[in-house]
Amino acid sequence: MKRWFFLLVAALGLALSQQPAPLKIGVVVSATGPAASLGIPEKNTFLLLEEEANKRGVAGHRVQFIILDDASDTTQAVRSTRKLIQEDGVLAIIGTTTTPASLGMIDVVAEAKVPMISLAASKAIIAPVDAKRTWVFKTPQTEELMARAIVADMKERGVKSVAYIGFNDAYGEGWWTFFSQEAKEGGINVVASERYARTDTSVTGQILKIIAARPDAVLVGASGTPAVLPQRTLNERGYKGLIYQTHGVANPDFLRVGGKDVEGTLLPAGPILVAEQLPAGFPSKRPSLDYITRYETKFGIGSYSTFGAHAYDAWLILRPALERALKNASPDNLAAFRAALRDELEATKNVVASHGVFSFSKEDHLGLRFQDTAVMVQVQNGRWKLVRTFR
Amino acid sequence: MDWTIFSFLLADGLQNGTIYALLALCLVLVFAVTRVILVPLGELLMFAPLSYALLLQGQFPGTAWLSAAMLVAWALLDRNRLRLALALLLLAGVVLGLAYWGSHGAPGWVAWLLAVLIVLPMGPATYRLFFEPLPHGTVLVYLILAVGLHFVYQGLGLVFFGPEQYRPPALLSGEASLGTVPLPRQVFVVYAFAFLAMLGLYLFFTRSLYGKALRACAVNRLGARISGINPSEAGRVAFLLATAIAAVSGMLIAPLVNAAYFMGFLLGLKGFVAGILGGLISYPMAVGGALVVGLLESYSSFTASAYKEAIVFALLLPVLFWRSLRTLELGGEEE
Amino acid sequence: MRPLLLVLLALLLLAPLFLPPFYITLLNFVAFGSLVALGLYLLTGMAGMTSFGQAAFMGLAAYATALLTTKMGLSPWLTLPIGLLFAGVGALVLGGLTVRLKGHYLPLSTIAWQMALFIVLGSWTALTGGHTGLPDLPAVSIMGFSFRTEDSFYYLSWAFALLAAWGAANLTGSRVGRALRALRGDAVAAASFGVHPPSLKLQVFLLAALLAGLAGWLYAHFLRFVNPSPFGLEASIKYLIMAVVGGIGSIPGVFLGASLITGLEEWLKDILPKVFGRTGNYEVIAYGLVLVVILILAPRGLWPFLERYLPHPTPRRPQGMGLPARQVQGLEVPKGEVILEVERLSKAFGGLLAVCDLSFQLRRGEVLGLIGPNGAGKSTCFNLITGVHAPTKGQVRFKGQAISGLAPFTVHEKGIGRTFQHPHLFPEMTVLENAALGTYARTRAGMLSCLLGTNRREEAAALSEAYRALERVGLAELAHHKAGGLALGQQRLLEIARALASSPEVLLLDEPAAGLRAAEKLELARLIRRLAAEGITVLLVDHDMDLVMGLVDRVVVMHYGEKLAEGTPREVQKNPKVIEAYLGQEVA
């Protein structure tokens, strides 16, 4: 009896050891620190994706996501990236959540020649596509795209002057840069530019200054629940104009904390925010609903976030690229495989994802078409309501 | 800037300043008795309203587990004092029971009290577990220890409550007008509490024998022990008082400013600034310093909001310089 | 210790050959952290000034180099001194304000400008690129070789780190190092033997800032990207943690701390997901707990634990001639002439008149006793003479020159040495180092010379001078013991030795015999007699009448701040007013 047992174990061992090594993908996200509300759903999404991907495997290989938290800090992000490349020998890097940390990572991935898909907002991460950025792609819409959506909406509503109040960090700064540019091109006058910190307990001074300038609309460049504060203060001080937020508030906590104060807010968002309300022909409708269902099954109803969807989109792009690369190259030859993977990523065409349709090219490593990637949403009765698309 | 704006900013500055003042009082209190700069005070401030928010949602707050665990650890450390250990274990059970009751349909005002009671044991337990084992530390070592605790509590805050803010209901809702400026009624409760706390601490520490005994422990630990004062007990009392004030403050201000796991640190830092302006020894001066910081912040947020913090901190320098000149000459300080 | 050091150096040199590349990356970060922590060793560990602002200086230099290399195309080697210049100027401006602050105000002011600088870096978008940062910095290169990989940069950063450590070690065992440690313990005592607190504090502040600036330049060219986040308050706190956890009082300590904290961060990221699963984010909590536990178990840092297991070199007895004879300042006063004169001296503290209209003269070569009941104002008189207080009225003249109101270090430089009623020693330093403090005013080596180690000869002479002073008071066998372990009598002798090492013309002894046993008092009396015979003028305060009367040439009696009587011991003993003051009216 013992003999059979040992033979069985040996056979199993032999069989298992014949399995090809897992495909290692490095992930860096900000699961703690100021960007945690964006990073946690991203991290959760990767856990979900790993589980699912390994049910069927990718071209016969298992997938392993090695996930590191950078605590929203540049130095940590760079260190984590180096670790993933040097210690773990990953095939590609996905991350990170914030713009400055992503920028810091560019040098590392370019030096090591590893493809990277960023989950951060700024255009500077992927443009212009030079010798370094040839290795870098990204999935979230740039502030430029979303700002264009806002300006288009403002023009339609006859807004002539706008005031801006944003976070005193890379997010608020990036939004200011691109929004003020788009507003200028669209002929809208920006009358005030204020800043506040995520941890602030009041923005009375800034709001008073804004109200004194009498703008038709106010744009709040913030993310998460701290974005409620300026809006609430505006209401308390009797501001009657339009209030716009950015897609950084597209999570259920914003509605919960904002309550009546955020009723009527307008914001640009990726289509996934209002997935069920999208018209039938909208490309991202199916992938969005798909993602929402799977995420909520694992993590609870109402728990999905549009930021987690960026992570999902990254996989929707990376997976087929991996499959294509595996046809011609083997992960055992790391350098060659990474280069092949990069080429296949760049060759991505018409991938229908939750935030739009991705088609990369040599000059464009974002590859989103404006019409498919941004919709205008308004908060009505405590819910997100689709008010217009740009198709 | 016209008069209306000026008065709005004044009200805003006073509100923020009062928040800093409450924190400053707690920091001065703890430092005056134990020479510990309680960096995690910000987290203790936020734990109570966050727990309250979870109770109202019918969820069992993680802070109850933390509180109970700390009490159990304390009981283990003092296991040779059987009665104390048993009492602590019992208290741990009570905390869990209160949290259970609060999350299963206790009325709002009861949940309010329960939230404070759940967080309260964390104060003296913090002292007993982390600072009492080190009776002869320097101020710098205590400070780094406190920073370590801040990481722990803030990290736990993220785990228990998630990254977003909560907005618990106010005790007094609606607004009242003071002149042309409408103020939320809740803010008057905050002012009243701050004033009472300041007065109470001032009287306690300068007029009562027990209060003076507590202060003696920080000045000369050996001398205090020889005089029959127990410095360990003094430390626990000071931490308990500070946590109580912080927890109640947090409950009162959260409806005004929202509560999140990350908001405590910067509030504590500004409270620390105010406390230093009072030399870390005087309560009225700490409150005064806090109001100054709050007002400075309010007016610079109007004039140059991107640089608001920079202005406040930069303007601090000449004030520090002036304050420092007024203390004694050469040979004033130990560390 | 030497061979151990060499082994360590060899390991460091060969590390890139046998360690995986990621460890080399980490070692680079350890080097940066060590540089900043080394600055904290000097600033906080030695001079006792806690700073929460070192990351701001890193940021100043990092941004300077980032802007100059990207926008103006300068070479990084050129931007290194410029970056250091920025950090240095920043230090001088801010330090000029900060080092004069006392007690808690000092750390708070470091927090203040740390936060202010961080916000300016982030908000002045036009200049600094704001929070998004400045990308694409060039790599450092020498003659075509580019330090791009972590291996090559490793040698660069550790070369700098070791250089800085060498300089700090030189500084520690030098006169400036001793003076810094004296400043931290006891500014009054330090001033009494010639230390200028404000200028020295500013110098060490500047040095710490330069070290941080160097770390900033290295950081910027390693990452080739700068943004404000590594230069904020959290970063400053982290460097302070590194220094404290490793042991802020020693150079190996801060290197140990930097390695430990850097390694801990990575190790936790590896271990925790395996233990707690990947859905949690517990690294920060674990990090805090580890910190707390380390500090409770090792409040002085981990290095003191390890140090005990290392072999200690046997200290050598200082050889040599000692210092050249001290240049006598001012006139040469012949024996018997007035050398120190107190004229109508008064000092009021608020409403309390401690010294009132006091006048007496001290003649060259004599031993003068100043006696009186407790509270008579004797110590205050000493403080007035040595410049610790300025008189409300009246004058003190030394060799004809008015010295009242001058700073203590200036008074000391003129040739007056003193001891204190309660010994003001530095328990962490050895007996020899304490005595060597007395030579501070007789030596010249500045901060730079001490850093570079060009002061060896002067240092050897100073140490042998101090050793001779120890021999004179009989403490030579204890030369390498820590001063904290001495008995009271020995402490008093050490204070005298320190004063002797300064080769004073006038020696003020404040209750040198208090707490000594009879045999020790006899020794002390003999010592003082020997000193007087060698030409030192002694002004002595004490309560032991037998000692005083048998030792001194003349006596001045004080009572309630005024001079009650003056004369030879015999005259004063018979003076009825004196008897009344000490014993009451009836006995007279």
Side-chain angles (χ1 to χ4, degrees):
Chain A
M1 191 56 188
K2 256 201 191 159
R3 217 187 328 156
W4 280 114
F5 182 68
F6 277 126
L7 271 176
L8 195 65
V9 169
L12 255 170
L14 209 61
L16 283 172
S17 69
Q18 297 295 33
Q19 272 231 342
L23 299 173
K24 291 201 250 186
I25 308 289
V27 175
V28 183
V29 285
S30 307
T32 56
S37 82
L38 284 68
I40 291 179
E42 288 166 1
K43 178 178 177 179
N44 288 343
T45 302
F46 286 112
L47 294 175
L48 173 70
L49 288 171
E50 189 185 68
E51 228 175 72
E52 298 191 345
N54 284 331
K55 289 206 186 104
R56 294 184 297 134
V58 174
H61 295 258
R62 291 181 59 240
V63 168
Q64 186 188 3
F65 286 119
I66 306 175
I67 306 177
L68 292 178
D69 169 27
D70 70 1
S72 316
D73 173 49
T74 314
T75 311
Q76 296 255 32
V78 169
R79 255 167 52 183
S80 299
T81 309
R82 283 180 187 258
K83 183 176 191 177
L84 289 167
I85 295 177
Q86 293 163 351
E87 287 272 286
D88 301 298
V90 297
L91 304 173
I93 301 268
I94 307 183
T96 176
T97 313
T98 60
T99 296
S102 297
L103 288 173
M105 283 160 72
I106 291 179
D107 232 84
V108 182
V109 298
E111 197 69 35
K113 302 203 182 338
V114 176
M116 165 177 152
I117 304 180
S118 171
L119 300 173
S122 173
K123 190 171 159 186
I125 298 173
I126 43 128
V129 180
D130 53 19
K132 288 199 228 175
R133 286 171 181 72
T134 187
W135 293 92
V136 185
F137 305 84
K138 87 181 192 83
T139 53
Q141 303 88 335
T142 54
E143 293 118 343
E144 194 183 42
L145 276 174
M146 295 309 219
R148 200 183 303 168
I150 294 185
V151 170
D153 191 80
M154 283 184 177
K155 274 181 24 190
E156 225 187 57
R157 293 175 193 265
V159 169
K160 293 280 187 300
S161 60
V162 68
Y164 176 78
I165 173 168
F167 273 164
N168 208 348
D169 67 9
Y171 187 79
E173 192 181 271
W175 258 96
W176 165 249
T177 310
F178 291 104
F179 174 72
S180 53
Q181 235 168 50
E182 292 287 326
K184 198 154 146 216
E185 284 172 19
I188 300 183
N189 190 16
V190 179
V191 297
S193 171
E194 302 294 319
R195 297 284 180 282
Y196 74 111
R198 183 183 299 265
T199 49
D200 275 351
T201 51
S202 99
V203 288
T204 309
Q206 294 93 323
I207 297 301
L208 287 175
K209 191 128 173 245
I210 286 179
I211 292 183
R214 301 175 183 288
D216 295 328
V218 176
L219 171 61
V220 180
S223 66
T225 42
V228 173
L229 182 62
Q231 205 166 347
R232 182 189 313 161
T233 316
L234 278 167
N235 290 339
E236 283 173 358
R237 295 286 80 89
Y239 179 72
K240 294 282 177 275
L242 293 172
I243 301 183
Y244 286 80
Q245 291 270 6
T246 68
H247 57 303
V249 304
N251 73 28
D253 292 293
F254 176 76
L255 296 173
R256 171 177 60 81
V257 173
K260 292 212 188 57
D261 285 315
V262 301
E263 197 62 23
T265 313
L266 289 157
L267 65 146
I272 183 175
L273 183 60
V274 286
E276 329 79 41
Q277 301 169 43
L278 291 170
F282 208 99
S284 296
K285 185 163 177 159
R286 183 114 77 78
S288 297
L289 288 172
D290 223 9
Y291 170 69
I292 294 174
T293 320
R294 286 146 78 181
Y295 193 93
E296 289 190 334
T297 311
K298 188 169 162 84
F299 294 104
I301 301 292
S303 64
Y304 84 94
S305 123
T306 59
F307 290 94
H310 293 310
Y312 181 66
D313 289 353
W315 183 240
L316 284 179
I317 294 172
L318 184 60
R319 189 203 176 114
L322 272 172
E323 286 170 343
R324 294 196 296 271
L326 280 168
K327 289 208 191 92
N328 301 325
S330 160
D332 296 323
N333 184 351
L334 212 47
F337 189 81
R338 286 166 173 166
L341 185 58
R342 187 215 77 87
D343 291 335
E344 293 302 340
L345 278 171
E346 202 171 56
T348 299
K349 292 278 181 274
N350 294 323
V351 170
V352 182
S354 65
H355 276 282
V357 181
F358 289 92
S359 291
F360 293 148
S361 76
K362 237 188 168 142
E363 296 81 34
D364 186 355
H365 279 194
L366 175 62
L368 285 171
R369 276 197 331 159
F370 178 62
Q371 303 90 295
D372 300 324
T373 190
V375 298
M376 283 308 288
V377 171
Q378 188 173 40
V379 179
Q380 292 178 5
N381 295 321
R383 288 199 156 75
W384 307 111
K385 191 83 170 50
L386 173 65
V387 288
R388 68 173 292 183
T389 70
F390 292 99
R391 281 167 71 83
Chain B
M1 193 193 295
D2 60 18
W3 175 248
T4 320
I5 294 185
F6 182 84
S7 43
F8 270 102
L9 291 175
L10 184 66
D12 182 52
L14 285 177
Q15 177 179 316
N16 287 333
T18 310
I19 298 175
Y20 305 146
L22 284 166
L23 287 165
L25 288 175
C26 300
L27 286 167
V28 174
L29 162 59
V30 167
F31 187 79
V33 179
T34 61
R35 304 190 68 62
V36 171
I37 297 173
L38 194 57
V39 180
L41 185 68
E43 278 73 57
L44 292 173
L45 177 85
M46 285 291 153
F47 274 174
L50 287 171
S51 307
Y52 179 49
L54 282 194
L55 287 177
L56 290 179
Q57 284 180 6
Q59 289 177 280
F60 194 91
T63 38
W65 290 115
L66 178 62
S67 223
M70 289 175 80
L71 287 170
V72 169
W74 183 351
L76 280 173
L77 275 181
D78 278 336
R79 58 187 175 280
N80 52 345
R81 295 166 63 184
L82 206 53
R83 270 204 304 192
L84 176 66
L86 286 176
L88 289 171
L89 288 175
L90 189 63
L91 191 57
V94 165
V95 165
L96 290 176
L98 289 178
Y100 183 79
W101 179 26
S103 56
H104 283 76
W109 64 272
V110 173
W112 200 100
L113 285 171
L114 293 178
V116 175
L117 289 175
I118 290 173
V119 174
L120 214 50
M122 284 169 57
T126 302
Y127 180 76
R128 173 68 190 93
L129 294 175
F130 304 111
F131 292 100
E132 210 177 295
L134 210 58
H136 301 292
T138 59
V139 173
L140 181 59
V141 170
Y142 283 149
L143 177 62
I144 304 291
L145 198 52
V147 169
L149 283 177
H150 154 69
F151 289 141
V152 176
Y153 290 161
Q154 200 180 52
L156 284 171
L158 177 60
V159 171
F160 294 153
F161 305 110
E164 297 291 0
Q165 293 178 346
Y166 289 85
R167 192 176 177 199
L171 281 183
L172 293 181
S173 51
E175 292 190 332
S177 279
L178 203 64
T180 48
V181 182
L183 294 173
R185 290 216 184 95
Q186 179 83 353
V187 107
F188 293 106
V189 184
V190 177
Y191 287 152
F193 180 67
F195 179 72
L196 286 174
M198 178 191 84
L199 197 62
L201 285 173
Y202 175 73
L203 290 175
F204 178 63
F205 278 96
T206 52
R207 300 294 162 85
S208 83
L209 190 59
Y210 194 68
K212 292 185 195 172
L214 290 188
R215 273 169 62 199
C217 299
V219 175
N220 188 329
R221 195 182 177 89
L222 183 60
R225 286 175 68 191
I226 292 174
S227 310
I229 304 168
N230 183 346
S232 305
E233 185 189 301
R236 280 175 251 140
V237 167
F239 270 66
L240 178 66
L241 259 179
T243 309
I245 298 177
V248 173
S249 307
M251 296 295 286
L252 292 178
I253 67 180
L256 293 170
V257 305
N258 293 354
Y261 84 99
F262 56 81
M263 290 174 71
F265 180 67
L266 202 59
L267 292 176
L269 182 64
K270 293 185 188 157
F272 177 61
V273 166
I276 297 255
L277 289 173
L280 273 184
I281 200 145
S282 155
Y283 296 102
M285 288 220 59
V287 171
L291 292 175
V292 166
V293 171
L295 288 169
L296 260 181
E297 207 183 19
S298 196
Y299 287 102
S300 30
S301 72
F302 182 82
T303 31
S305 58
Y307 293 95
K308 155 181 80 142
E309 308 275 2
I311 295 176
V312 171
F313 281 106
L315 282 181
L316 209 52
L317 291 172
V319 176
L320 284 177
F321 193 60
W322 170 72
R323 280 291 290 144
S324 165
L325 282 180
R326 297 180 80 230
T327 47
L328 284 176
E329 291 306 318
L330 258 186
E333 264 313 320
E334 342 77 58
E335 286 103 6
Chain C
M1 194 64 163
R2 259 314 158 73
L4 197 66
L5 216 58
L6 287 175
V7 168
L8 216 62
L9 273 174
L11 281 175
L12 269 178
L13 205 64
L14 297 172
L17 297 177
F18 58 85
L19 282 180
F22 183 60
Y23 283 76
I24 303 297
T25 300
L26 282 183
L27 281 174
N28 271 302
F29 283 105
V30 169
F32 307 151
S34 301
L35 277 168
V36 184
L38 204 57
L40 283 171
Y41 158 71
L42 295 173
L43 190 62
T44 310
M46 285 222 288
M49 298 187 271
T50 309
S51 166
F52 289 96
Q54 297 307 99
F57 292 121
M58 261 185 98
L60 275 177
Y63 267 88
T65 184
L67 288 170
L68 292 170
T69 50
T70 54
K71 304 242 163 95
M72 290 176 52
L74 292 180
S75 146
W77 289 112
L78 194 57
T79 60
L80 172 58
I82 300 182
L84 289 180
L85 188 68
F86 270 85
V89 167
L92 285 175
V93 168
L94 293 167
L97 180 67
T98 306
V99 296
R100 287 170 196 282
L101 298 176
K102 323 267 181 346
H104 312 297
Y105 298 114
L106 192 147
L108 184 61
S109 87
T110 62
I111 294 180
W113 44 257
Q114 162 70 72
M115 304 245 7
L117 261 170
F118 175 75
I119 289 168
V120 168
L121 283 179
S123 299
W124 197 350
T125 319
L127 180 68
T128 64
H131 288 278
T132 318
L134 293 170
D136 302 322
L137 268 68
V140 177
S141 52
I142 293 186
M143 296 190 290
F145 175 76
S146 203
F147 289 91
R148 293 195 81 85
T149 62
E150 55 276 334
D151 280 2
S152 49
F153 207 87
Y154 165 84
Y155 286 112
L156 187 66
S157 32
W158 275 94
F160 276 115
L162 291 174
L163 191 66
W166 174 76
N170 287 341
L171 190 63
T172 308
S174 75
R175 82 187 266 273
V176 173
R178 284 190 291 271
L180 282 175
R181 279 176 285 169
L183 265 187
R184 170 214 198 138
D186 197 327
V188 176
S192 79
F193 43 80
V195 177
H196 295 233
S199 99
L200 200 56
K201 281 184 168 181
L202 191 58
Q203 284 175 30
V204 74
F205 195 85
L206 178 64
L207 191 56
L210 289 176
L211 284 170
L214 179 60
W217 179 82
L218 284 169
Y219 177 92
H221 288 286
F222 182 57
L223 258 66
R224 296 191 289 279
F225 172 76
V226 288
N227 78 322
S229 78
F231 308 120
L233 184 62
E234 290 78 22
S236 281
I237 292 179
K238 183 162 76 160
Y239 294 122
L240 199 54
I241 292 176
M242 283 182 188
V244 171
V245 162
I248 203 168
S250 66
I251 297 174
V254 296
F255 276 84
L256 179 64
S259 319
L260 211 72
I261 296 295
T262 309
L264 183 66
E265 288 171 341
E266 293 306 323
W267 186 71
L268 285 176
K269 282 204 197 138
D270 277 340
I271 294 280
L272 287 180
K274 296 203 178 99
V275 174
F276 290 107
R278 289 188 293 174
T279 41
N281 302 302
Y282 306 123
E283 284 93 32
V284 148
I285 302 173
Y287 178 77
L289 275 176
V290 170
L291 259 182
V292 166
V293 168
I294 291 182
L295 279 175
I296 293 181
L297 296 176
R300 291 177 51 213
L302 286 173
W303 177 249
F305 267 9
L306 295 178
E307 201 183 7
R308 282 183 287 174
Y309 299 107
L310 291 175
H312 282 166
T314 40
R316 291 174 311 198
R317 192 205 125 135
Q319 308 285 2
M321 290 295 303
L323 291 169
R326 190 175 150 276
Q327 293 261 350
V328 171
Q329 282 201 19
L331 311 165
E332 179 79 40
V333 177
K335 197 165 154 85
E337 293 298 311
V338 173
I339 187 169
L340 180 70
E341 182 168 5
V342 166
E343 186 179 324
R344 312 208 61 177
L345 203 58
S346 295
K347 176 67 181 175
F349 291 109
L352 170 70
L353 200 57
V355 173
C356 180
D357 208 26
L358 180 66
S359 301
F360 64 83
Q361 292 173 333
L362 183 64
R363 289 169 200 284
R364 180 97 204 279
E366 75 172 335
V367 180
L368 180 65
L370 188 62
I371 65 175
N374 272 324
K378 309 185 295 292
S379 281
T380 312
C381 177
F382 265 30
N383 287 339
L384 289 168
I385 295 174
T386 54
V388 176
H389 300 308
T392 317
K393 281 209 283 274
Q395 251 197 5
V396 179
R397 276 197 292 278
F398 181 64
K399 297 207 236 188
Q401 268 192 326
I403 61 166
S404 38
L406 290 180
F409 38 85
T410 320
V411 170
H412 174 76
E413 277 162 11
K414 293 196 185 294
I416 300 180
R418 73 169 287 180
T419 65
F420 292 87
Q421 195 172 3
H422 305 288
H424 285 216
L425 295 174
F426 306 101
E428 284 306 307
M429 295 202 263
T430 63
V431 168
L432 183 63
E433 287 174 321
N434 270 277
L437 275 168
T439 64
Y440 186 79
R442 293 173 65 184
T443 47
R444 327 222 101 268
M447 177 81 80
L448 193 58
S449 164
C450 291
L451 277 172
L452 296 175
T454 55
N455 63 333
R456 299 241 187 268
R457 203 182 309 173
E458 189 188 68
E459 176 71 7
L463 285 179
S464 81
E465 181 80 20
Y467 192 77
R468 280 191 355 193
L470 287 178
E471 282 176 328
R472 278 160 95 183
V473 305
L475 285 180
E477 321 83 59
L478 297 176
H480 297 289
H481 289 225
K482 286 253 161 61
L486 293 181
L488 182 61
Q490 295 168 319
Q491 287 181 15
R492 294 201 182 283
L493 287 176
L494 178 53
E495 275 219 323
I496 296 178
R498 182 176 71 200
L500 284 182
S502 67
S503 187
E505 293 190 57
V506 171
L507 186 58
L508 274 58
L509 298 175
D510 198 344
E511 302 205 28
L516 296 189
R517 300 178 310 226
E520 291 172 328
K521 286 190 190 181
L522 275 180
E523 261 310 312
L524 182 66
R526 265 185 243 143
L527 171 64
I528 296 177
R529 270 273 149 237
R530 271 202 304 275
L531 294 177
E534 286 170 17
I536 300 180
T537 313
V538 177
L539 174 59
L540 171 69
V541 163
D542 209 274
H543 282 300
D544 183 338
M545 283 306 121
D546 287 336
L547 175 75
V548 173
M549 297 305 189
L551 180 59
V552 303
D553 301 318
R554 293 190 306 127
V555 174
V556 168
V557 185
M558 283 182 71
H559 193 52
Y560 288 127
E562 298 178 313
K563 183 165 79 173
L564 193 56
E566 182 176 359
T568 67
R570 194 173 300 252
E571 290 165 8
V572 160
Q573 271 168 333
K574 295 218 195 87
N575 188 317
K577 282 198 286 184
V578 172
I579 298 176
E580 179 184 332
Y582 270 99
L583 299 175
Q585 205 164 33
E586 282 302 313
V587 187

